[in-house]
């Protein structure tokens, strides 16, 4: 998979998207967590997953869902997303499908604490979503990460 082949930034959520409820979801990370088990989807700007570089976050939605995109908010400055990030999905947590990478410099929403939206150009069925942030000039830190399907 080449850079950005299967991912694209959007300035807002696609009108056809539906944000999945996160009740019961879990995540694993190689970083540290400030704010407990729901830090990625608690709506708070004071909780986050941070530290490791690269920073890897794997979300388990517990059941397969149709994944069309996601939104992501870094803690404060957009530089906390890292220089670029990769996204992969899996139905079983073992076999992963890479969707490519996006560079933080291409993100359309650059304000402090801004949310950016990412579209999977080939939506897929997945139980697991893995986000990996790379090459942070500062510590990598993610406040929120929500996954979207499509309203049908």
């Amino acid at each position: 998979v080449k850079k950005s082949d299967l991912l694209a930034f959007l300035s807002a959520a696609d009108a056809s998207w539906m944000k999945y409820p996160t009740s019961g979801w879990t995540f694993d990370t190689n970083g540290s967590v400030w704010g407990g088990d729901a830090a990625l989807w608690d709506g708070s700007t004071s909780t986050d997953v941070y530290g490791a570089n690269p920073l890897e976050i794997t979300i388990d939605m517990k059941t397969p869902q149709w994944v069309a995109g996601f939104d992501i908010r870094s803690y404060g400055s957009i530089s906390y997303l890292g220089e670029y990030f990769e996204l992969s999905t899996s139905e079983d947590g073992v076999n992963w499908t890479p969707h490519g990478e996006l560079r933080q410099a291409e993100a359309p929403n650059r304000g402090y604490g801004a949310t950016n939206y990412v579209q999977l150009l080939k939506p897929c069925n997945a139980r697991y979503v893995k986000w990996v942030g790379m090459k942070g000039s500062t510590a990598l830190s993610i406040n929120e990460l929500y996954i979207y399907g499509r309203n049908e």
Side-chain angles (χ1 to χ4, degrees):
V1 176
K2 294 179 185 170
K3 289 182 235 177
S4 306
D5 272 359
L6 302 176
L7 298 172
F9 275 118
L10 302 175
S11 58
D14 186 287
S16 70
W17 287 3
M18 170 193 66
K19 186 186 285 188
Y20 285 122
T22 58
S23 178
W25 289 13
T26 58
F27 67 88
D28 290 317
T29 182
N30 65 338
S32 300
V33 179
W34 179 260
D37 294 341
L40 286 178
W41 42 78
D42 62 3
S44 173
T45 58
S46 60
T47 60
D48 64 335
V49 177
Y50 65 95
N53 191 356
L55 177 62
E56 183 175 306
I57 299 169
T58 303
I59 296 171
D60 181 355
M61 298 184 287
K62 302 303 181 191
T63 59
Q65 308 279 353
W66 187 250
V67 178
F70 66 96
D71 71 33
I72 189 164
R73 183 175 68 206
S74 61
Y75 177 80
S77 167
I78 194 161
S79 67
Y80 287 111
L81 282 181
E83 186 178 315
Y84 65 95
F85 62 81
E86 300 172 343
L87 188 84
S88 301
T89 56
S90 174
E91 291 190 72
D92 60 10
V94 175
N95 301 294
W96 292 91
T97 301
H99 293 274
E101 69 181 42
L102 285 177
R103 299 209 166 273
Q104 170 262 111
E106 299 166 3
N109 303 324
R110 305 199 58 79
Y112 190 86
T115 298
N116 277 280
Y117 301 86
V118 178
Q119 178 181 26
L120 276 67
L121 299 180
K122 291 187 177 181
C124 64
N125 204 43
R127 174 178 166 177
Y128 301 90
V129 174
K130 183 186 295 182
W131 178 92
V132 181
M134 309 276 200
K135 292 189 178 180
S137 58
T138 59
L140 287 101
S141 179
I142 305 304
N143 275 126
E144 302 289 305
L145 199 160
Y146 292 97
I147 299 169
Y148 293 80
R150 291 212 188 275
N151 288 316
E152 299 297 337

